[in-house]
């Protein structure tokens, strides 16, 4: 079986026009966690699925994920991704728009290479389109939240479910689909993806404030710098007294042009005072518990569930 | 059966987030020729296909087409489309990127609503992905041509085949697919789309110079203003003597900052002198003849071919 890097080389190397495919291969080869492909394989292996088929779906979801990164980086004006210049910085916005478009279409074509019965391929393809749609909607809500005054925690959780967790759910369920898993297990895999995806994003929000920069691999405090209304911020607001809340809101207002480091320190001091780290960790634990309940509904031998359980533990304790 | 406008209203009205769907509905409701939906319906009706299914595919291709317009308009910095501000002008680039993404994904989801056997839905979905890929590649070649010194006529024809004609081919073949057309007819429909699409684009190139502005509905000369290496320009170069060729190349160089109107008049004078209008019309006729050969290979009663034949005649004589 090919590694995912070999897949990408096979698909994109020597393809014409080079101007379209070079930025795609550059993006796919940036060092990443390859979490979404892992999820597809873990689900497929639980049901002894064909690894070639799982590999095709895994590559499709990694491409979908990278398509969202390329386009989101334009929208967020992000200059660095995984330690390297973003596509729109290294090339330009036009290149980033069109390479992103070509990448998501290539992902689709991967699904059409599956050697399964037509019903299964259709299910995988339809799910892929539904996941892509939810991801777009989630990104739009994320952009909208930048300009509205108040975001509730419920709205925030709905947004990250759409933007991040649905793709996790799509990966796990698609792995099950190509391995002919039963209906109940497919639903459990989907639910597991939702809960795991939310826990993953909450952990990400927390790492932006509390990570060890050397392990995390990216600079911390970027959400604070960009006034992002993450779970950590929203929960801290909820836990604050009136003075702390007013100060936090003023620190996160667009008109505030304080020095980046001073702002980070003052925000973190309030976060510490209201103990938002612990509150966020409790919320993460709540979703991790849900994951284990979902796993109970997957109808395979308990031994087969070990890989997914250990992945969840890893993500729970993630430091990067 | 729903009209295509009703389809769009049903799909997009009252959908959340509004910030994502308003620009989509705005784009889809701009007055357009609805040529791609027509092609789907004409092919499906030739084979007595179910009109609901044809309508779904027709709406999908119209959405794909509009997705390319929204993203291309960003890349081309176009401010006006069909007499109205483009999405990135009326809103902003971020909105245009994400609405475009959501639009192509919605198109995909339309295909998954088809009531056909799974093999047919898969064929339509795969063809849709292939067409999307070719369209992206064509757009990339088009962008690349802006910065290269020499483009051959063969390269140009390949580019417009990818960027424009493949979508015509996809529409006609998909219409045949949902109507269970035989393999030979499906191939003939695809070939017809390619030849018709090339003829359509060459006519478009010609209209940019020779249209009656009042009928054409958009300002003429924009290709000349943007130094676009269209068929008309490339053919004129081929027909020019050395002095004319040098002058044309210098008029089309990026460093030329001549008044727009004066430039148009001087370019048009050379075009007239080398009689490029007639040469282009001959090329269009060549592709129209090919269309009629393709129609001969469609295996239905001759009477059933009248609608497609009259559409081709219309496009041949198009003035807008």
């Amino acid at each position: 079986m090919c590694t995912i890097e070999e897949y990408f080389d096979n698909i994109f190397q020597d393809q014409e026009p080079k101007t379209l495919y070079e930025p795609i291969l550059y993006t796919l080869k940036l060092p990443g966690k390859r979490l979404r492909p892992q999820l597809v394989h873990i689900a497929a292996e639980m049901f002894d699925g064909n690894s070639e088929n799982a590999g095709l779906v895994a590559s499709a979801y990694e491409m979908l994920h990278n398509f969202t990164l390329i386009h989101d980086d334009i929208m967020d004006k992000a200059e660095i991704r995984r330690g390297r210049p973003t596509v729109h910085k290294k090339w330009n916005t036009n290149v980033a728009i069109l390479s992103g478009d070509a990448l998501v279409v290539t992902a689709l074509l991967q699904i059409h290479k599956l050697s399964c019965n037509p019903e299964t391929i259709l299910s995988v393809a339809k799910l892929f389109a539904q996941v892509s749609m939810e991801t777009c909607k989630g990104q739009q809500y994320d952009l909208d939240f930048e300009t509205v005054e108040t975001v509730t925690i419920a709205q925030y959780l709905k947004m990250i479910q759409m933007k991040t967790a649905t793709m996790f759910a799509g990966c796990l369920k698609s792995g099950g689909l190509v391995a002919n898993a039963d209906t109940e297990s497919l639903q459990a895999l989907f639910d597991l993806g939702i809960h795991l995806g939310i826990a993953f994003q909450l952990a990400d929000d927390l790492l932006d404030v509390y990570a060890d920069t050397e392990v995390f691999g990216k600079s911390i405090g970027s959400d604070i710098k960009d006034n992002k209304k993450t779970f950590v911020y929203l929960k801290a607001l909820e836990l604050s007294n009136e003075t702390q809340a007013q100060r936090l809101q003023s620190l996160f207002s667009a008109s505030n042009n304080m020095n980046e480091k001073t702002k980070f320190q003052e925000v973190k001091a309030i976060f510490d005072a209201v103990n938002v780290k612990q509150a966020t960790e409790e919320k993460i634990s709540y979703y991790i518990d849900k994951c284990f309940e979902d796993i109970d509904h997957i109808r395979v031998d308990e031994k087969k569930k070990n890989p997914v359980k250990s992945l969840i533990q890893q993500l729970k304790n993630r430091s990067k």
Side-chain angles (χ1 to χ4, degrees), chain A:
Chain A
M1 206 191 77
C2 293
T3 66
I4 198 155
E5 280 75 17
E6 286 166 338
Y7 256 118
F8 294 148
D9 277 335
N10 291 341
I11 299 167
F12 294 108
Q13 236 166 29
D14 308 318
Q15 279 259 40
E16 297 282 351
K18 290 225 178 309
T19 33
L20 187 62
Y21 291 109
E22 265 176 18
I24 289 179
L25 209 48
Y26 167 83
T27 304
L28 292 173
K29 293 267 186 118
L30 291 176
K33 291 183 283 291
R34 306 290 189 212
L35 186 53
R36 290 151 195 85
Q38 269 189 70
L39 292 172
V40 177
H41 281 291
I42 278 183
E45 281 161 21
M46 225 185 286
F47 290 88
D48 302 316
N50 170 308
S51 63
E52 287 289 337
N53 281 336
L56 285 165
V57 175
S59 69
Y61 273 96
E62 187 67 8
M63 289 185 212
L64 176 65
H65 173 55
N66 279 276
F67 145 75
T68 66
L69 298 182
I70 295 176
H71 280 192
D72 290 3
D73 281 343
I74 309 172
M75 297 183 221
D76 298 340
K77 298 186 176 54
E79 302 196 355
I80 300 289
R81 161 78 59 192
R82 296 170 182 160
R84 313 260 167 83
T86 50
V87 173
H88 71 103
K89 268 286 144 189
K90 190 172 161 76
W91 286 271
N92 57 53
T93 300
N94 285 0
V95 167
I97 294 173
L98 197 57
S99 298
D101 293 346
L103 188 49
V104 70
V105 175
T106 311
L108 256 180
L109 287 168
Q110 287 297 93
I111 292 173
H112 286 284
K113 291 182 191 163
L114 285 171
S115 312
C116 307
N117 61 61
E119 286 84 358
T120 303
I121 307 179
L122 262 189
S123 301
V124 175
K126 185 176 180 178
L127 178 59
F128 186 85
Q130 288 166 332
V131 166
S132 308
M133 195 69 237
E134 288 297 292
T135 311
C136 285
K137 285 188 194 179
Q139 169 68 3
Q140 184 65 54
Y141 279 117
D142 199 10
L143 293 173
D144 289 350
F145 288 175
E146 286 178 17
T147 51
V148 295
E149 195 123 329
T150 335
V151 176
T152 66
I153 288 183
Q155 286 172 326
Y156 179 76
L157 291 172
K158 184 184 159 197
M159 182 276 281
I160 62 172
Q161 174 168 336
M162 289 176 148
K163 183 171 169 171
T164 303
T166 310
M167 207 185 293
F168 281 47
C171 289
L172 284 167
K173 185 174 173 180
S174 301
L177 278 168
V178 296
N180 300 311
D182 61 286
T183 314
E184 191 185 336
S185 299
L186 289 172
Q187 184 61 50
L189 285 166
F190 189 88
D191 296 342
L192 169 59
I194 296 290
H195 297 131
L196 188 60
I198 296 175
F200 176 86
Q201 186 56 51
L202 295 181
D204 208 65
D205 292 355
L206 201 55
L207 286 168
D208 187 68
V209 193
Y210 290 102
D212 177 338
T213 15
E214 290 200 7
V215 184
F216 194 40
K218 51 183 174 181
S219 59
I220 62 170
S222 68
D223 290 341
I224 293 174
K225 187 181 110 234
D226 297 341
N227 301 325
K228 282 252 179 194
K229 301 181 187 82
T230 69
F231 181 84
V232 178
Y233 168 77
L234 297 171
K235 191 70 192 174
L237 260 191
E238 193 184 278
L239 297 168
S240 291
N241 61 34
E242 210 171 313
T243 323
Q244 289 166 324
Q246 277 176 1
R247 187 62 194 145
L248 260 187
Q249 280 169 323
S250 131
L251 284 162
F252 271 69
S253 77
S255 57
N256 171 26
N257 47 17
M258 209 167 168
N259 166 286
E260 196 182 314
K261 205 173 163 188
T262 322
K263 177 181 169 189
F264 179 79
Q265 282 165 343
E266 198 180 334
V267 169
K268 189 162 178 290
I270 302 178
F271 284 178
D272 288 343
V274 301
N275 208 357
V276 76
K277 184 165 184 276
Q278 192 192 328
T280 308
E281 282 167 348
E282 278 165 14
K283 195 77 174 174
I284 294 170
S285 286
Y286 166 83
Y287 284 104
I288 295 289
D289 290 347
K290 290 257 185 201
C291 290
F292 285 105
E293 286 170 32
D294 297 327
I295 290 176
D296 286 339
H297 291 94
I298 302 176
R299 295 164 67 171
V300 289
D301 195 273
E302 285 304 311
K303 270 188 301 187
K304 295 263 189 186
K305 299 178 179 177
N306 289 334
V308 74
K309 285 181 181 172
S310 71
L311 180 74
I312 293 168
Q313 285 302 349
Q314 264 177 52
L315 291 180
K316 191 185 171 182
N317 305 320
R318 67 188 282 239
S319 54
K320 61 178 182 177

